[in-house]
């Protein structure tokens, strides 16, 4: 009988701590991260990105869009996406997150063909930055792409 009482006390004392540890681990797994980024020849959707197939890159005579998909953004986070050419920002888009634990797909670029086409023999990249309380919590830049 005493054994059962001691076992019950141990379970009551330690099982809630296991549950709290599991909750903390689950919360820790929800860190803000950049799920996907890159360049495409059109606007993209989350459904496009969920397929995990390579999207067509921009060409001389096509639209050019930089995209970034951020998971588990927190309320107040500032998300920036830049379409860059040779390291310099050509176009950008900024959004402040209004809800906790939100997934955000943000895009910047041209959905039409620029007059005269895209400059060739240049390196284009997409860059995504997530800022929280003035500090960068996630940042990533895509591999350079040449437009043909």
């Amino acid at each position: 009988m005493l054994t059962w009482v001691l076992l019950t006390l141990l379970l009551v004392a330690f099982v809630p701590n296991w549950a709290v540890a599991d909750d903390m681990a689950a919360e820790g797994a929800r860190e803000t991260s950049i799920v996907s980024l890159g360049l495409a020849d059109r606007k993209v959707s989350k459904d496009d990105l969920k397929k995990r197939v390579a999207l067509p890159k921009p060409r001389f005579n096509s639209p050019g869009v930089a995209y970034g998909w951020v998971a588990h953004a927190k309320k107040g986070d500032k998300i920036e996406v830049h379409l860059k050419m040779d390291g310099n920002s050509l176009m950008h888009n900024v959004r402040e997150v209004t809800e906790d634990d939100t997934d955000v797909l943000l895009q910047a670029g041209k959905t039409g063909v620029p007059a005269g086409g895209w400059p060739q023999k240049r390196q284009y990249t997409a860059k995504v930055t997530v800022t929280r309380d003035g500090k960068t919590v996630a940042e990533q830049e895509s591999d350079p792409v040449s437009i043909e």
Side-chain angles (χ1 to χ4, degrees):
M1 180 70 162
L2 181 59
T3 305
W4 286 107
V5 171
L6 290 174
L7 182 60
T8 303
L9 286 174
L10 286 173
L11 288 175
V12 168
F14 292 107
V15 169
N17 291 336
W18 291 337
V20 170
D22 288 344
D23 289 346
M24 289 173 62
E27 186 65 30
R30 293 179 166 261
E31 290 184 22
T32 301
S33 62
I34 299 167
V35 177
S36 183
L37 83 153
L39 298 168
D41 67 350
R42 60 183 167 80
K43 283 178 153 181
V44 297
S45 68
K46 287 183 182 178
D47 289 336
D48 291 332
L49 299 175
K50 285 178 184 177
K51 293 176 187 172
R52 300 232 181 247
V53 296
L55 298 170
K57 68 178 185 174
R59 295 174 311 281
F60 168 76
N61 60 352
S62 75
V65 177
Y67 62 88
W69 183 6
V70 176
H72 308 297
K74 306 293 182 218
K75 184 175 183 177
D77 285 358
K78 183 174 87 171
I79 300 173
E80 296 180 65
V81 173
H82 289 264
L83 171 60
K84 299 176 82 176
M85 180 181 74
D86 295 335
N88 299 313
S89 182
L90 287 177
M91 296 166 208
H92 72 280
N93 195 355
V94 180
R95 180 181 301 164
E96 186 168 323
V97 178
T98 57
E99 297 178 24
D100 268 342
D101 198 29
T102 301
D103 287 359
V104 177
L105 174 59
L106 194 59
Q107 301 177 66
K110 286 272 209 190
T111 56
V113 179
W118 291 98
Q120 296 177 305
K121 297 182 182 176
R122 302 289 181 98
Q123 298 294 305
Y124 294 86
T125 60
K127 183 175 182 179
V128 179
T129 306
V130 182
T131 308
R132 181 178 303 140
D133 300 325
K135 296 179 184 172
T136 301
V137 294
E139 185 173 60
Q140 193 172 347
E141 190 164 355
S142 68
D143 292 332
V145 171
S146 294
I147 293 182
E148 300 168 2

